[in-house]
Amino acid sequence: MIIAAVLGLGAALALMYIVLRKYTYPAVEQPFFSDPSFFGLFTVGLVAGTAIFVGYTFFQESWSSIIIAILFAMVFELAKLVVLNLKRFHGKSDTVFYGFGLGIGVGGAFSFGFAFYASSQAIAVFEGMDAASWALFAVIAVQTVLIHSATGMTIGEGIARRRPFEFLLQALIISVAYQLLVSQMFASSSDVAVYAFLILSFLVAFGYFYHIVYKKLPGVIRDVLRMEGKTRKDIPK
């Protein structure tokens, strides 16, 4: 459990620090979001991610199913939309960060649950875990946090721009693609195929995360601030 927590929640907290440090004090005098609101949504994400993972365990025999992959991709993104689609978050630039917090909570809880559940079963069957298996779980944990934080930020952007369903569709397309690759990793019978699908799913998660967080985010903040009739000269590049 300790190792699973380090893999799942540790990855979430590390990613949170890496992304947010440029957008809060002391990097900027006026933070771009409220800490209590952010951590409140992060906590909601942890609860939602745990609940979704518990449901996921009931379908263990079908983790390789395309239908289950699509179903859970929809559950993940619709849960984020339901939580964020409140009137007080509409048209606000900080909503983008709250989507990130919600997503990183979902990803952290889900990856912790998966690492603990899968490693416990592997230890029971094989009476131990080797370094390669832990490395596999570590990659899955990191990419899970990456994909959910990025799609959470996408849905947050949709709420901020007052176009929630347009951006929900974008998040769904990415989430479905990612879940399908993961399902095929579970379906593979050879180590080569497993690692091939693992690499592909990681590339999708990392590529989308990099695009959303490092390419789009500054421009999104400027656009939404402009919608609010505000400007800031300290938006990180």
Side-chain angles (χ1 to χ4, degrees), residues 10 47 50 53 83 89 113 123 125 128 142 157-158 169 177 190 211:
V47 174
T50 301
F53 178 74
V83 172
F89 292 134
I123 290 171
V125 173
V142 170
E157 179 184 351
L169 179 60
S190 72
H211 171 70

Side-chain angles (χ1 to χ4, degrees), residues 51-70:
I52 294 171
F53 178 74
V54 170
Y56 194 61
T57 60
F58 287 99
F59 296 89
Q60 181 182 356
E61 299 300 324
S62 302
W63 284 358
S64 59
S65 166
I66 292 176
I67 294 175
I68 294 300
I70 295 173

Side-chain angles (χ1 to χ4, degrees), residues 84-208:
L84 284 173
N85 197 23
L86 300 175
K87 188 175 181 180
R88 63 193 172 111
F89 292 134
H90 286 215
K92 304 292 180 63
S93 61
D94 52 357
T95 302
V96 181
F97 294 97
Y98 301 147
F100 174 76
L102 177 65
I104 211 169
V106 169
F110 191 89
S111 58
F112 165 51
F114 176 81
F116 177 65
Y117 183 79
S119 61
S120 297
Q121 289 197 325
I123 290 171
V125 173
F126 301 110
E127 299 183 352
M129 287 274 292
D130 57 19
S133 298
W134 282 119
L136 177 68
F137 288 149
V139 174
I140 292 173
V142 170
Q143 68 184 31
T144 300
V145 174
L146 287 172
I147 195 70
H148 288 298
S149 62
T151 56
M153 188 171 279
T154 296
I155 292 173
E157 179 184 351
I159 303 295
R161 293 184 184 275
R162 303 181 190 273
R163 289 147 50 195
F165 295 104
E166 175 186 335
F167 284 83
L168 170 64
L169 179 60
Q170 178 180 321
L172 277 172
I173 290 171
I174 295 298
S175 189
V176 166
Y178 171 79
Q179 293 296 336
L180 286 174
L181 289 171
V182 171
S183 73
Q184 294 313 295
M185 181 182 68
F186 291 132
S188 300
S189 57
S190 72
D191 290 345
V192 173
V194 168
Y195 286 110
F197 281 110
L198 177 66
I199 292 169
L200 287 173
S201 59
F202 182 85
L203 290 175
V204 168
F206 179 80
Y208 190 68

Side-chain angles (χ1 to χ4, degrees), residues 16 20-21 23-26 28-43 94 97-98 101-102:
M16 184 190 300
L20 297 182
R21 60 181 177 172
Y23 294 94
T24 190
Y25 186 84
V28 292
E29 187 172 340
Q30 181 183 354
F32 285 82
F33 56 91
S34 162
D35 284 348
S37 296
F38 179 89
F39 283 103
L41 284 161
F42 173 68
T43 303
D94 52 357
F97 294 97
Y98 301 147
L102 177 65

